[in-house]
Amino acid sequence: MNAIYLDNAATTSMYPEVIEVMQTAMVENYGNPSSTHQFGRKAKSSLETARKNIAKHFNVSAAEIIFTSSGTEADNLILHNAILNLDVTRIITSKIEHHAVLHACDFLQTSENIVVEYVNVDAFGNVDVLHLEKLLKVSKVKTLVSLMMINNEIGNLLSVHEIANVCKLNNALFHSDTVQVIGHYKIDLQTTMIDFMVASAHKFHGPKGVGFAFFRKGFGIVPMLHGGGQEKGARSSTENVHAILGMEKALEIAHNTLEEDKIHIENLKIYFITELKKISKDFQFNGNSGDLEKSSYTILSVRFPTQNEMLLFSLDLAGIAVSGGSACQSGSNKGSHVLSEILKDGEEDKTSIRFSFSKFTKKEDIDCAILKIKELF
């Protein structure tokens, strides 16, 4: 039985070139970047070169990139810093954000007595921009808006320039969880006026356990972790040099091949949608995931017409890896908070599966998935 991996929104396989870079670094560049001897200086030089190269991809300065252990840590660092250092007393977000944002907001609401408000989303998961404007205009308190650019479950694309403009006109800060964006779309942060964004390397064929936060120049950072004062005091902990170099390499490859990879993956998604519709007109697509102009080309969330608790299990037995929702909830009996928010009564009782693709996904993989779904329906 051939294993077929269609869960790339959860994590991706590493590029062979990334593994090679990391292996070399672990053997030849093992110094502590904080050490002043030649081994430390070599590690520090590699670290700062990686920071500069990563920053160039987004048209920002190296000083605006802070290395973290994950996108989740980066989100938390940004949200905590907004409250503790930038005088933010209100956060506006949506109920379909990643739990890295939602749970951090819950904590800050309790611990720091801030106001958390939720902008409306429609039945497709689209942010109500007029409602956001209304929320921003009814209060003059310092506000941070936190809305993800691509939803990790339904693939919706945020109207990021429109949201950024609304925030700017109302003197609000704008943070976006861009974990599903980095490595798949190019972002010029001189024209896309996001104040804070995040990345996680394992979403674009890099290693797990490393990511970064972007803080636009002028915003100071109060650390969440205290100790050695690494990352210019923003994030204490000895830097994970070999993983950071792996992330740098993964991002370089992703950007070099982005256009051809997008064409390949988008064609697979179109083909998958077409074949699913041939099986049954009752198959529905959650959010905007069935609309190529309004969703990420890497994610397709399908709602099947009947409750079938064995569907995920049956696909897994057939060697097809997919997800019922965010992988961050694996092991939990809770359903998707995203689908619960946007689906009507009765719709959320159906079986929904997220299929997500990468440059390594083949048409034959889609054919195998389609064949198994035909057998089950």
Side-chain angles (χ1 to χ4, degrees), residues 153 272-273 276 282-286 289 300-305 311 339 350-355 373:
E153 292 197 31
F272 196 24
I273 290 172
L276 284 171
D282 293 329
F283 292 174
Q284 302 294 317
F285 303 107
N286 294 314
S289 69
L300 182 67
S301 178
V302 184
R303 188 170 71 255
F304 293 92
L311 183 54
L339 298 182
K350 311 300 183 184
T351 299
S352 287
I353 291 181
R354 181 188 68 184
F355 301 88
I373 292 169

mmCIF file with all atom_site columns, all heavy atoms in Angstrom, residues 153 272-273 276 282-286 289 300-305 311 339 350-355 373:
data_model
loop_
_atom_site.group_PDB
_atom_site.id
_atom_site.type_symbol
_atom_site.label_atom_id
_atom_site.label_alt_id
_atom_site.label_comp_id
_atom_site.label_asym_id
_atom_site.label_entity_id
_atom_site.label_seq_id
_atom_site.pdbx_PDB_ins_code
_atom_site.Cartn_x
_atom_site.Cartn_y
_atom_site.Cartn_z
_atom_site.occupancy
_atom_site.B_iso_or_equiv
_atom_site.pdbx_formal_charge
_atom_site.auth_seq_id
_atom_site.auth_comp_id
_atom_site.auth_asym_id
_atom_site.auth_atom_id
_atom_site.pdbx_PDB_model_num
ATOM 1   N N   . GLU A 1 153 ? -8.010  26.069 8.279  1.00 0.00 ? 153 GLU A N   1
ATOM 2   C CA  . GLU A 1 153 ? -8.975  24.982 8.115  1.00 0.00 ? 153 GLU A CA  1
ATOM 3   C C   . GLU A 1 153 ? -9.767  25.074 6.817  1.00 0.00 ? 153 GLU A C   1
ATOM 4   O O   . GLU A 1 153 ? -10.008 24.057 6.164  1.00 0.00 ? 153 GLU A O   1
ATOM 5   C CB  . GLU A 1 153 ? -9.932  24.937 9.307  1.00 0.00 ? 153 GLU A CB  1
ATOM 6   C CG  . GLU A 1 153 ? -9.250  24.512 10.604 1.00 0.00 ? 153 GLU A CG  1
ATOM 7   C CD  . GLU A 1 153 ? -10.250 24.070 11.655 1.00 0.00 ? 153 GLU A CD  1
ATOM 8   O OE1 . GLU A 1 153 ? -11.310 23.532 11.293 1.00 0.00 ? 153 GLU A OE1 1
ATOM 9   O OE2 . GLU A 1 153 ? -9.971  24.266 12.855 1.00 0.00 ? 153 GLU A OE2 1
ATOM 10  N N   . PHE A 1 272 ? -9.128  17.926 -8.452 1.00 0.00 ? 272 PHE A N   1
ATOM 11  C CA  . PHE A 1 272 ? -9.769  17.262 -7.317 1.00 0.00 ? 272 PHE A CA  1
ATOM 12  C C   . PHE A 1 272 ? -11.220 17.717 -7.182 1.00 0.00 ? 272 PHE A C   1
ATOM 13  O O   . PHE A 1 272 ? -12.139 16.904 -7.012 1.00 0.00 ? 272 PHE A O   1
ATOM 14  C CB  . PHE A 1 272 ? -8.974  17.550 -6.048 1.00 0.00 ? 272 PHE A CB  1
ATOM 15  C CG  . PHE A 1 272 ? -9.296  16.645 -4.889 1.00 0.00 ? 272 PHE A CG  1
ATOM 16  C CD1 . PHE A 1 272 ? -9.841  15.384 -5.087 1.00 0.00 ? 272 PHE A CD1 1
ATOM 17  C CD2 . PHE A 1 272 ? -9.024  17.038 -3.585 1.00 0.00 ? 272 PHE A CD2 1
ATOM 18  C CE1 . PHE A 1 272 ? -10.129 14.544 -4.021 1.00 0.00 ? 272 PHE A CE1 1
ATOM 19  C CE2 . PHE A 1 272 ? -9.289  16.212 -2.517 1.00 0.00 ? 272 PHE A CE2 1
ATOM 20  C CZ  . PHE A 1 272 ? -9.851  14.960 -2.729 1.00 0.00 ? 272 PHE A CZ  1
ATOM 21  N N   . ILE A 1 273 ? -11.442 19.028 -7.275 1.00 0.00 ? 273 ILE A N   1
ATOM 22  C CA  . ILE A 1 273 ? -12.801 19.569 -7.181 1.00 0.00 ? 273 ILE A CA  1
ATOM 23  C C   . ILE A 1 273 ? -13.678 18.994 -8.290 1.00 0.00 ? 273 ILE A C   1
ATOM 24  O O   . ILE A 1 273 ? -14.819 18.563 -8.055 1.00 0.00 ? 273 ILE A O   1
ATOM 25  C CB  . ILE A 1 273 ? -12.772 21.111 -7.256 1.00 0.00 ? 273 ILE A CB  1
ATOM 26  C CG1 . ILE A 1 273 ? -12.145 21.694 -5.980 1.00 0.00 ? 273 ILE A CG1 1
ATOM 27  C CG2 . ILE A 1 273 ? -14.179 21.673 -7.463 1.00 0.00 ? 273 ILE A CG2 1
ATOM 28  C CD1 . ILE A 1 273 ? -11.909 23.192 -6.046 1.00 0.00 ? 273 ILE A CD1 1
ATOM 29  N N   . LEU A 1 276 ? -14.484 15.310 -7.586 1.00 0.00 ? 276 LEU A N   1
ATOM 30  C CA  . LEU A 1 276 ? -15.430 15.174 -6.470 1.00 0.00 ? 276 LEU A CA  1
ATOM 31  C C   . LEU A 1 276 ? -16.857 15.474 -6.927 1.00 0.00 ? 276 LEU A C   1
ATOM 32  O O   . LEU A 1 276 ? -17.807 14.786 -6.539 1.00 0.00 ? 276 LEU A O   1
ATOM 33  C CB  . LEU A 1 276 ? -15.033 16.128 -5.337 1.00 0.00 ? 276 LEU A CB  1
ATOM 34  C CG  . LEU A 1 276 ? -13.844 15.714 -4.467 1.00 0.00 ? 276 LEU A CG  1
ATOM 35  C CD1 . LEU A 1 276 ? -13.440 16.851 -3.546 1.00 0.00 ? 276 LEU A CD1 1
ATOM 36  C CD2 . LEU A 1 276 ? -14.175 14.462 -3.638 1.00 0.00 ? 276 LEU A CD2 1
ATOM 37  N N   . ASP A 1 282 ? -23.834 16.527 -4.093 1.00 0.00 ? 282 ASP A N   1
ATOM 38  C CA  . ASP A 1 282 ? -24.132 16.848 -2.698 1.00 0.00 ? 282 ASP A CA  1
ATOM 39  C C   . ASP A 1 282 ? -22.870 17.169 -1.898 1.00 0.00 ? 282 ASP A C   1
ATOM 40  O O   . ASP A 1 282 ? -22.966 17.620 -0.757 1.00 0.00 ? 282 ASP A O   1
ATOM 41  C CB  . ASP A 1 282 ? -24.872 15.690 -2.029 1.00 0.00 ? 282 ASP A CB  1
ATOM 42  C CG  . ASP A 1 282 ? -26.262 15.490 -2.607 1.00 0.00 ? 282 ASP A CG  1
ATOM 43  O OD1 . ASP A 1 282 ? -26.863 16.499 -3.034 1.00 0.00 ? 282 ASP A OD1 1
ATOM 44  O OD2 . ASP A 1 282 ? -26.738 14.345 -2.638 1.00 0.00 ? 282 ASP A OD2 1
ATOM 45  N N   . PHE A 1 283 ? -21.701 16.923 -2.458 1.00 0.00 ? 283 PHE A N   1
ATOM 46  C CA  . PHE A 1 283 ? -20.468 17.309 -1.779 1.00 0.00 ? 283 PHE A CA  1
ATOM 47  C C   . PHE A 1 283 ? -20.379 18.840 -1.779 1.00 0.00 ? 283 PHE A C   1
ATOM 48  O O   . PHE A 1 283 ? -20.539 19.484 -2.821 1.00 0.00 ? 283 PHE A O   1
ATOM 49  C CB  . PHE A 1 283 ? -19.238 16.732 -2.479 1.00 0.00 ? 283 PHE A CB  1
ATOM 50  C CG  . PHE A 1 283 ? -19.108 15.230 -2.396 1.00 0.00 ? 283 PHE A CG  1
ATOM 51  C CD1 . PHE A 1 283 ? -18.108 14.580 -3.093 1.00 0.00 ? 283 PHE A CD1 1
ATOM 52  C CD2 . PHE A 1 283 ? -19.974 14.470 -1.624 1.00 0.00 ? 283 PHE A CD2 1
ATOM 53  C CE1 . PHE A 1 283 ? -17.966 13.206 -3.034 1.00 0.00 ? 283 PHE A CE1 1
ATOM 54  C CE2 . PHE A 1 283 ? -19.850 13.087 -1.547 1.00 0.00 ? 283 PHE A CE2 1
ATOM 55  C CZ  . PHE A 1 283 ? -18.850 12.455 -2.254 1.00 0.00 ? 283 PHE A CZ  1
ATOM 56  N N   . GLN A 1 284 ? -20.131 19.416 -0.614 1.00 0.00 ? 284 GLN A N   1
ATOM 57  C CA  . GLN A 1 284 ? -20.043 20.867 -0.481 1.00 0.00 ? 284 GLN A CA  1
ATOM 58  C C   . GLN A 1 284 ? -18.625 21.251 -0.026 1.00 0.00 ? 284 GLN A C   1
ATOM 59  O O   . GLN A 1 284 ? -17.903 20.444 0.552  1.00 0.00 ? 284 GLN A O   1
ATOM 60  C CB  . GLN A 1 284 ? -21.070 21.376 0.529  1.00 0.00 ? 284 GLN A CB  1
ATOM 61  C CG  . GLN A 1 284 ? -22.518 21.035 0.188  1.00 0.00 ? 284 GLN A CG  1
ATOM 62  C CD  . GLN A 1 284 ? -22.991 21.724 -1.070 1.00 0.00 ? 284 GLN A CD  1
ATOM 63  O OE1 . GLN A 1 284 ? -22.714 22.906 -1.288 1.00 0.00 ? 284 GLN A OE1 1
ATOM 64  N NE2 . GLN A 1 284 ? -23.714 20.992 -1.927 1.00 0.00 ? 284 GLN A NE2 1
ATOM 65  N N   . PHE A 1 285 ? -18.261 22.518 -0.284 1.00 0.00 ? 285 PHE A N   1
ATOM 66  C CA  . PHE A 1 285 ? -16.937 23.001 0.100  1.00 0.00 ? 285 PHE A CA  1
ATOM 67  C C   . PHE A 1 285 ? -17.097 24.072 1.173  1.00 0.00 ? 285 PHE A C   1
ATOM 68  O O   . PHE A 1 285 ? -17.820 25.056 0.982  1.00 0.00 ? 285 PHE A O   1
ATOM 69  C CB  . PHE A 1 285 ? -16.197 23.546 -1.120 1.00 0.00 ? 285 PHE A CB  1
ATOM 70  C CG  . PHE A 1 285 ? -16.080 22.514 -2.223 1.00 0.00 ? 285 PHE A CG  1
ATOM 71  C CD1 . PHE A 1 285 ? -16.843 22.614 -3.374 1.00 0.00 ? 285 PHE A CD1 1
ATOM 72  C CD2 . PHE A 1 285 ? -15.237 21.423 -2.088 1.00 0.00 ? 285 PHE A CD2 1
ATOM 73  C CE1 . PHE A 1 285 ? -16.763 21.663 -4.380 1.00 0.00 ? 285 PHE A CE1 1
ATOM 74  C CE2 . PHE A 1 285 ? -15.148 20.458 -3.082 1.00 0.00 ? 285 PHE A CE2 1
ATOM 75  C CZ  . PHE A 1 285 ? -15.910 20.576 -4.224 1.00 0.00 ? 285 PHE A CZ  1
ATOM 76  N N   . ASN A 1 286 ? -16.446 23.837 2.298  1.00 0.00 ? 286 ASN A N   1
ATOM 77  C CA  . ASN A 1 286 ? -16.565 24.758 3.429  1.00 0.00 ? 286 ASN A CA  1
ATOM 78  C C   . ASN A 1 286 ? -15.832 26.064 3.162  1.00 0.00 ? 286 ASN A C   1
ATOM 79  O O   . ASN A 1 286 ? -14.754 26.079 2.556  1.00 0.00 ? 286 ASN A O   1
ATOM 80  C CB  . ASN A 1 286 ? -16.003 24.108 4.693  1.00 0.00 ? 286 ASN A CB  1
ATOM 81  C CG  . ASN A 1 286 ? -16.823 22.913 5.137  1.00 0.00 ? 286 ASN A CG  1
ATOM 82  O OD1 . ASN A 1 286 ? -18.055 22.977 5.186  1.00 0.00 ? 286 ASN A OD1 1
ATOM 83  N ND2 . ASN A 1 286 ? -16.152 21.815 5.455  1.00 0.00 ? 286 ASN A ND2 1
ATOM 84  N N   . SER A 1 289 ? -13.240 27.553 0.198  1.00 0.00 ? 289 SER A N   1
ATOM 85  C CA  . SER A 1 289 ? -12.185 26.648 -0.267 1.00 0.00 ? 289 SER A CA  1
ATOM 86  C C   . SER A 1 289 ? -12.417 26.107 -1.680 1.00 0.00 ? 289 SER A C   1
ATOM 87  O O   . SER A 1 289 ? -11.471 25.712 -2.360 1.00 0.00 ? 289 SER A O   1
ATOM 88  C CB  . SER A 1 289 ? -11.992 25.489 0.713  1.00 0.00 ? 289 SER A CB  1
ATOM 89  O OG  . SER A 1 289 ? -13.096 24.613 0.725  1.00 0.00 ? 289 SER A OG  1
ATOM 90  N N   . LEU A 1 300 ? -8.324  22.516 0.608  1.00 0.00 ? 300 LEU A N   1
ATOM 91  C CA  . LEU A 1 300 ? -9.702  22.255 0.186  1.00 0.00 ? 300 LEU A CA  1
ATOM 92  C C   . LEU A 1 300 ? -10.425 21.560 1.334  1.00 0.00 ? 300 LEU A C   1
ATOM 93  O O   . LEU A 1 300 ? -10.046 20.474 1.756  1.00 0.00 ? 300 LEU A O   1
ATOM 94  C CB  . LEU A 1 300 ? -9.737  21.374 -1.060 1.00 0.00 ? 300 LEU A CB  1
ATOM 95  C CG  . LEU A 1 300 ? -11.133 21.079 -1.629 1.00 0.00 ? 300 LEU A CG  1
ATOM 96  C CD1 . LEU A 1 300 ? -11.774 22.361 -2.173 1.00 0.00 ? 300 LEU A CD1 1
ATOM 97  C CD2 . LEU A 1 300 ? -11.065 20.024 -2.732 1.00 0.00 ? 300 LEU A CD2 1
ATOM 98  N N   . SER A 1 301 ? -11.475 22.194 1.838  1.00 0.00 ? 301 SER A N   1
ATOM 99  C CA  . SER A 1 301 ? -12.263 21.635 2.935  1.00 0.00 ? 301 SER A CA  1
ATOM 100 C C   . SER A 1 301 ? -13.593 21.148 2.378  1.00 0.00 ? 301 SER A C   1
ATOM 101 O O   . SER A 1 301 ? -14.391 21.936 1.856  1.00 0.00 ? 301 SER A O   1
ATOM 102 C CB  . SER A 1 301 ? -12.501 22.688 4.026  1.00 0.00 ? 301 SER A CB  1
ATOM 103 O OG  . SER A 1 301 ? -13.300 22.162 5.066  1.00 0.00 ? 301 SER A OG  1
ATOM 104 N N   . VAL A 1 302 ? -13.835 19.838 2.471  1.00 0.00 ? 302 VAL A N   1
ATOM 105 C CA  . VAL A 1 302 ? -14.996 19.214 1.843  1.00 0.00 ? 302 VAL A CA  1
ATOM 106 C C   . VAL A 1 302 ? -15.974 18.723 2.909  1.00 0.00 ? 302 VAL A C   1
ATOM 107 O O   . VAL A 1 302 ? -15.582 18.059 3.873  1.00 0.00 ? 302 VAL A O   1
ATOM 108 C CB  . VAL A 1 302 ? -14.572 18.018 0.954  1.00 0.00 ? 302 VAL A CB  1
ATOM 109 C CG1 . VAL A 1 302 ? -15.787 17.443 0.229  1.00 0.00 ? 302 VAL A CG1 1
ATOM 110 C CG2 . VAL A 1 302 ? -13.497 18.440 -0.043 1.00 0.00 ? 302 VAL A CG2 1
ATOM 111 N N   . ARG A 1 303 ? -17.255 19.060 2.735  1.00 0.00 ? 303 ARG A N   1
ATOM 112 C CA  . ARG A 1 303 ? -18.314 18.590 3.623  1.00 0.00 ? 303 ARG A CA  1
ATOM 113 C C   . ARG A 1 303 ? -19.120 17.530 2.880  1.00 0.00 ? 303 ARG A C   1
ATOM 114 O O   . ARG A 1 303 ? -19.733 17.794 1.850  1.00 0.00 ? 303 ARG A O   1
ATOM 115 C CB  . ARG A 1 303 ? -19.207 19.748 4.061  1.00 0.00 ? 303 ARG A CB  1
ATOM 116 C CG  . ARG A 1 303 ? -20.213 19.366 5.145  1.00 0.00 ? 303 ARG A CG  1
ATOM 117 C CD  . ARG A 1 303 ? -20.899 20.588 5.721  1.00 0.00 ? 303 ARG A CD  1
ATOM 118 N NE  . ARG A 1 303 ? -21.824 21.219 4.811  1.00 0.00 ? 303 ARG A NE  1
ATOM 119 C CZ  . ARG A 1 303 ? -21.605 22.349 4.146  1.00 0.00 ? 303 ARG A CZ  1
ATOM 120 N NH1 . ARG A 1 303 ? -20.466 22.979 4.275  1.00 0.00 ? 303 ARG A NH1 1
ATOM 121 N NH2 . ARG A 1 303 ? -22.531 22.858 3.342  1.00 0.00 ? 303 ARG A NH2 1
ATOM 122 N N   . PHE A 1 304 ? -19.089 16.326 3.416  1.00 0.00 ? 304 PHE A N   1
ATOM 123 C CA  . PHE A 1 304 ? -19.774 15.200 2.776  1.00 0.00 ? 304 PHE A CA  1
ATOM 124 C C   . PHE A 1 304 ? -21.224 15.144 3.243  1.00 0.00 ? 304 PHE A C   1
ATOM 125 O O   . PHE A 1 304 ? -21.553 15.602 4.349  1.00 0.00 ? 304 PHE A O   1
ATOM 126 C CB  . PHE A 1 304 ? -19.022 13.906 3.069  1.00 0.00 ? 304 PHE A CB  1
ATOM 127 C CG  . PHE A 1 304 ? -17.657 13.869 2.421  1.00 0.00 ? 304 PHE A CG  1
ATOM 128 C CD1 . PHE A 1 304 ? -16.523 14.310 3.101  1.00 0.00 ? 304 PHE A CD1 1
ATOM 129 C CD2 . PHE A 1 304 ? -17.515 13.447 1.109  1.00 0.00 ? 304 PHE A CD2 1
ATOM 130 C CE1 . PHE A 1 304 ? -15.278 14.310 2.502  1.00 0.00 ? 304 PHE A CE1 1
ATOM 131 C CE2 . PHE A 1 304 ? -16.273 13.434 0.492  1.00 0.00 ? 304 PHE A CE2 1
ATOM 132 C CZ  . PHE A 1 304 ? -15.148 13.874 1.186  1.00 0.00 ? 304 PHE A CZ  1
ATOM 133 N N   . PRO A 1 305 ? -22.135 14.588 2.430  1.00 0.00 ? 305 PRO A N   1
ATOM 134 C CA  . PRO A 1 305 ? -23.577 14.734 2.671  1.00 0.00 ? 305 PRO A CA  1
ATOM 135 C C   . PRO A 1 305 ? -24.124 13.996 3.881  1.00 0.00 ? 305 PRO A C   1
ATOM 136 O O   . PRO A 1 305 ? -25.210 14.291 4.344  1.00 0.00 ? 305 PRO A O   1
ATOM 137 C CB  . PRO A 1 305 ? -24.204 14.205 1.376  1.00 0.00 ? 305 PRO A CB  1
ATOM 138 C CG  . PRO A 1 305 ? -23.175 13.291 0.800  1.00 0.00 ? 305 PRO A CG  1
ATOM 139 C CD  . PRO A 1 305 ? -21.856 13.884 1.160  1.00 0.00 ? 305 PRO A CD  1
ATOM 140 N N   . LEU A 1 311 ? -15.170 7.673  7.951  1.00 0.00 ? 311 LEU A N   1
ATOM 141 C CA  . LEU A 1 311 ? -14.556 8.172  6.727  1.00 0.00 ? 311 LEU A CA  1
ATOM 142 C C   . LEU A 1 311 ? -13.068 8.458  6.903  1.00 0.00 ? 311 LEU A C   1
ATOM 143 O O   . LEU A 1 311 ? -12.237 7.997  6.107  1.00 0.00 ? 311 LEU A O   1
ATOM 144 C CB  . LEU A 1 311 ? -15.291 9.419  6.237  1.00 0.00 ? 311 LEU A CB  1
ATOM 145 C CG  . LEU A 1 311 ? -14.805 10.031 4.919  1.00 0.00 ? 311 LEU A CG  1
ATOM 146 C CD1 . LEU A 1 311 ? -14.782 8.996  3.803  1.00 0.00 ? 311 LEU A CD1 1
ATOM 147 C CD2 . LEU A 1 311 ? -15.697 11.206 4.530  1.00 0.00 ? 311 LEU A CD2 1
ATOM 148 N N   . LEU A 1 339 ? -15.624 25.506 11.815 1.00 0.00 ? 339 LEU A N   1
ATOM 149 C CA  . LEU A 1 339 ? -16.839 25.024 11.161 1.00 0.00 ? 339 LEU A CA  1
ATOM 150 C C   . LEU A 1 339 ? -18.069 25.267 12.030 1.00 0.00 ? 339 LEU A C   1
ATOM 151 O O   . LEU A 1 339 ? -19.147 25.574 11.520 1.00 0.00 ? 339 LEU A O   1
ATOM 152 C CB  . LEU A 1 339 ? -16.699 23.536 10.823 1.00 0.00 ? 339 LEU A CB  1
ATOM 153 C CG  . LEU A 1 339 ? -15.575 23.177 9.846  1.00 0.00 ? 339 LEU A CG  1
ATOM 154 C CD1 . LEU A 1 339 ? -15.573 21.680 9.555  1.00 0.00 ? 339 LEU A CD1 1
ATOM 155 C CD2 . LEU A 1 339 ? -15.694 23.972 8.550  1.00 0.00 ? 339 LEU A CD2 1
ATOM 156 N N   . LYS A 1 350 ? -22.448 17.026 9.621  1.00 0.00 ? 350 LYS A N   1
ATOM 157 C CA  . LYS A 1 350 ? -21.915 16.248 8.509  1.00 0.00 ? 350 LYS A CA  1
ATOM 158 C C   . LYS A 1 350 ? -20.415 16.019 8.718  1.00 0.00 ? 350 LYS A C   1
ATOM 159 O O   . LYS A 1 350 ? -19.789 16.629 9.571  1.00 0.00 ? 350 LYS A O   1
ATOM 160 C CB  . LYS A 1 350 ? -22.152 16.972 7.179  1.00 0.00 ? 350 LYS A CB  1
ATOM 161 C CG  . LYS A 1 350 ? -23.577 17.456 6.960  1.00 0.00 ? 350 LYS A CG  1
ATOM 162 C CD  . LYS A 1 350 ? -24.599 16.335 6.982  1.00 0.00 ? 350 LYS A CD  1
ATOM 163 C CE  . LYS A 1 350 ? -26.002 16.851 6.681  1.00 0.00 ? 350 LYS A CE  1
ATOM 164 N NZ  . LYS A 1 350 ? -27.033 15.809 6.785  1.00 0.00 ? 350 LYS A NZ  1
ATOM 165 N N   . THR A 1 351 ? -19.858 15.139 7.906  1.00 0.00 ? 351 THR A N   1
ATOM 166 C CA  . THR A 1 351 ? -18.425 14.859 7.983  1.00 0.00 ? 351 THR A CA  1
ATOM 167 C C   . THR A 1 351 ? -17.664 15.826 7.092  1.00 0.00 ? 351 THR A C   1
ATOM 168 O O   . THR A 1 351 ? -17.914 15.901 5.890  1.00 0.00 ? 351 THR A O   1
ATOM 169 C CB  . THR A 1 351 ? -18.121 13.420 7.533  1.00 0.00 ? 351 THR A CB  1
ATOM 170 O OG1 . THR A 1 351 ? -18.810 12.511 8.396  1.00 0.00 ? 351 THR A OG1 1
ATOM 171 C CG2 . THR A 1 351 ? -16.629 13.131 7.603  1.00 0.00 ? 351 THR A CG2 1
ATOM 172 N N   . SER A 1 352 ? -16.754 16.592 7.683  1.00 0.00 ? 352 SER A N   1
ATOM 173 C CA  . SER A 1 352 ? -15.913 17.502 6.919  1.00 0.00 ? 352 SER A CA  1
ATOM 174 C C   . SER A 1 352 ? -14.463 17.041 6.994  1.00 0.00 ? 352 SER A C   1
ATOM 175 O O   . SER A 1 352 ? -13.979 16.631 8.054  1.00 0.00 ? 352 SER A O   1
ATOM 176 C CB  . SER A 1 352 ? -16.022 18.938 7.461  1.00 0.00 ? 352 SER A CB  1
ATOM 177 O OG  . SER A 1 352 ? -17.266 19.510 7.127  1.00 0.00 ? 352 SER A OG  1
ATOM 178 N N   . ILE A 1 353 ? -13.793 17.111 5.859  1.00 0.00 ? 353 ILE A N   1
ATOM 179 C CA  . ILE A 1 353 ? -12.388 16.703 5.779  1.00 0.00 ? 353 ILE A CA  1
ATOM 180 C C   . ILE A 1 353 ? -11.602 17.787 5.062  1.00 0.00 ? 353 ILE A C   1
ATOM 181 O O   . ILE A 1 353 ? -12.052 18.329 4.054  1.00 0.00 ? 353 ILE A O   1
ATOM 182 C CB  . ILE A 1 353 ? -12.228 15.357 5.041  1.00 0.00 ? 353 ILE A CB  1
ATOM 183 C CG1 . ILE A 1 353 ? -12.806 14.231 5.892  1.00 0.00 ? 353 ILE A CG1 1
ATOM 184 C CG2 . ILE A 1 353 ? -10.764 15.073 4.712  1.00 0.00 ? 353 ILE A CG2 1
ATOM 185 C CD1 . ILE A 1 353 ? -12.672 12.857 5.273  1.00 0.00 ? 353 ILE A CD1 1
ATOM 186 N N   . ARG A 1 354 ? -10.436 18.100 5.618  1.00 0.00 ? 354 ARG A N   1
ATOM 187 C CA  . ARG A 1 354 ? -9.521  19.037 4.970  1.00 0.00 ? 354 ARG A CA  1
ATOM 188 C C   . ARG A 1 354 ? -8.470  18.264 4.191  1.00 0.00 ? 354 ARG A C   1
ATOM 189 O O   . ARG A 1 354 ? -7.745  17.448 4.752  1.00 0.00 ? 354 ARG A O   1
ATOM 190 C CB  . ARG A 1 354 ? -8.837  19.931 6.002  1.00 0.00 ? 354 ARG A CB  1
ATOM 191 C CG  . ARG A 1 354 ? -7.887  20.958 5.390  1.00 0.00 ? 354 ARG A CG  1
ATOM 192 C CD  . ARG A 1 354 ? -7.097  21.691 6.457  1.00 0.00 ? 354 ARG A CD  1
ATOM 193 N NE  . ARG A 1 354 ? -6.160  20.808 7.136  1.00 0.00 ? 354 ARG A NE  1
ATOM 194 C CZ  . ARG A 1 354 ? -5.401  21.183 8.167  1.00 0.00 ? 354 ARG A CZ  1
ATOM 195 N NH1 . ARG A 1 354 ? -5.487  22.404 8.651  1.00 0.00 ? 354 ARG A NH1 1
ATOM 196 N NH2 . ARG A 1 354 ? -4.568  20.325 8.739  1.00 0.00 ? 354 ARG A NH2 1
ATOM 197 N N   . PHE A 1 355 ? -8.411  18.515 2.902  1.00 0.00 ? 355 PHE A N   1
ATOM 198 C CA  . PHE A 1 355 ? -7.353  17.990 2.044  1.00 0.00 ? 355 PHE A CA  1
ATOM 199 C C   . PHE A 1 355 ? -6.406  19.152 1.759  1.00 0.00 ? 355 PHE A C   1
ATOM 200 O O   . PHE A 1 355 ? -6.857  20.250 1.422  1.00 0.00 ? 355 PHE A O   1
ATOM 201 C CB  . PHE A 1 355 ? -7.923  17.467 0.719  1.00 0.00 ? 355 PHE A CB  1
ATOM 202 C CG  . PHE A 1 355 ? -8.936  16.366 0.874  1.00 0.00 ? 355 PHE A CG  1
ATOM 203 C CD1 . PHE A 1 355 ? -10.288 16.654 1.049  1.00 0.00 ? 355 PHE A CD1 1
ATOM 204 C CD2 . PHE A 1 355 ? -8.551  15.020 0.839  1.00 0.00 ? 355 PHE A CD2 1
ATOM 205 C CE1 . PHE A 1 355 ? -11.232 15.640 1.182  1.00 0.00 ? 355 PHE A CE1 1
ATOM 206 C CE2 . PHE A 1 355 ? -9.488  14.005 0.964  1.00 0.00 ? 355 PHE A CE2 1
ATOM 207 C CZ  . PHE A 1 355 ? -10.825 14.311 1.141  1.00 0.00 ? 355 PHE A CZ  1
ATOM 208 N N   . ILE A 1 373 ? -12.880 7.472  -2.126 1.00 0.00 ? 373 ILE A N   1
ATOM 209 C CA  . ILE A 1 373 ? -14.114 8.203  -1.795 1.00 0.00 ? 373 ILE A CA  1
ATOM 210 C C   . ILE A 1 373 ? -15.297 7.619  -2.575 1.00 0.00 ? 373 ILE A C   1
ATOM 211 O O   . ILE A 1 373 ? -16.405 7.486  -2.049 1.00 0.00 ? 373 ILE A O   1
ATOM 212 C CB  . ILE A 1 373 ? -13.939 9.707  -2.060 1.00 0.00 ? 373 ILE A CB  1
ATOM 213 C CG1 . ILE A 1 373 ? -12.923 10.287 -1.061 1.00 0.00 ? 373 ILE A CG1 1
ATOM 214 C CG2 . ILE A 1 373 ? -15.278 10.445 -1.951 1.00 0.00 ? 373 ILE A CG2 1
ATOM 215 C CD1 . ILE A 1 373 ? -12.480 11.705 -1.393 1.00 0.00 ? 373 ILE A CD1 1
#
